[in-house]
Amino acid sequence: MHKTLLKVKNKRLAELVENIINKMSKNEILQCVQSESSMLAPQFKNPELVMNLNNAMLEFLDTPILAGKNKGEISATVIKVEGAYKTLRNMIKKDVKLLKPLDKKSMDALFYLHVYDLALVASEKRAFRKMLGIKKGFFG
């Protein structure tokens, strides 16, 4: 896990997304997406693969929690950064036929791509921000 992620690993993923949309413009987020894409190992350069991973994570984040203190809440509202990172890593190891072992640099880039994807959706869709329990600016 990248050192910047280690600093926020115990924060909710939604808080990380909220921080991004409140501090960055859409164009700045898109620049970050390009930068992270360039960090990927060749086996992950397929945009369709990245899109499928993001969609699988979105599906996971939309799943209600079945037990425990957060029972009934949507995963996206309570999952921590570290939990989301591990979930994505496990999805890649389980669902993607890797030509080479998953390297740390690519894993970090794929996670950031996922977070930036969430931020782009959240920056444009109020209903998505509401689902995550975050605000964009003063009025949400």
Side-chain angles (χ1 to χ4, degrees):
M1 184 178 275
H2 192 270
K3 62 184 176 184
T4 57
L5 290 172
L6 286 173
K7 291 179 185 177
V8 296
K9 72 178 186 176
N10 293 319
K11 290 194 179 285
R12 290 184 319 118
L13 180 64
E15 290 174 36
L16 180 60
V17 172
E18 182 177 35
N19 190 36
I20 290 169
I21 64 172
N22 285 328
K23 293 187 177 192
M24 298 173 75
S25 70
K26 183 178 177 182
N27 284 337
E28 289 171 322
I29 295 171
L30 290 172
Q31 287 175 346
C32 290
V33 167
Q34 283 184 322
S35 175
E36 292 299 334
S37 296
S38 71
M39 305 283 202
L40 293 171
Q43 68 180 342
F44 298 111
K45 294 265 185 191
N46 181 351
E48 190 174 315
L49 171 66
V50 174
M51 185 179 72
N52 289 341
L53 286 170
N54 283 341
N55 289 340
M57 278 297 288
L58 277 172
E59 196 173 302
F60 166 77
L61 293 173
D62 194 35
T63 305
I65 296 171
L66 300 176
K69 71 176 185 176
N70 297 311
K71 182 178 179 178
E73 292 186 50
I74 295 173
S75 297
T77 62
V78 296
I79 193 166
K80 306 284 187 203
V81 170
E82 183 177 35
Y85 186 94
K86 288 178 178 179
T87 299
L88 179 61
R89 185 180 60 214
N90 290 338
M91 279 183 183
I92 293 167
K93 287 180 177 181
K94 180 180 161 233
D95 299 333
V96 178
K97 291 185 180 183
L98 300 173
L99 303 173
K100 296 179 180 178
L102 178 61
D103 62 291
K104 185 180 178 309
K105 194 174 184 182
S106 289
M107 181 58 221
D108 289 344
L110 287 165
F111 184 74
Y112 274 116
L113 286 171
H114 170 64
V115 172
Y116 290 134
D117 182 55
L118 292 175
L120 287 169
V121 174
S123 71
E124 296 180 353
K125 299 188 184 220
R126 189 171 194 271
F128 188 69
R129 291 192 303 273
K130 191 174 182 179
M131 180 191 85
L132 292 177
I134 63 174
K135 293 183 178 184
K136 178 183 176 184
F138 188 70
F139 297 105

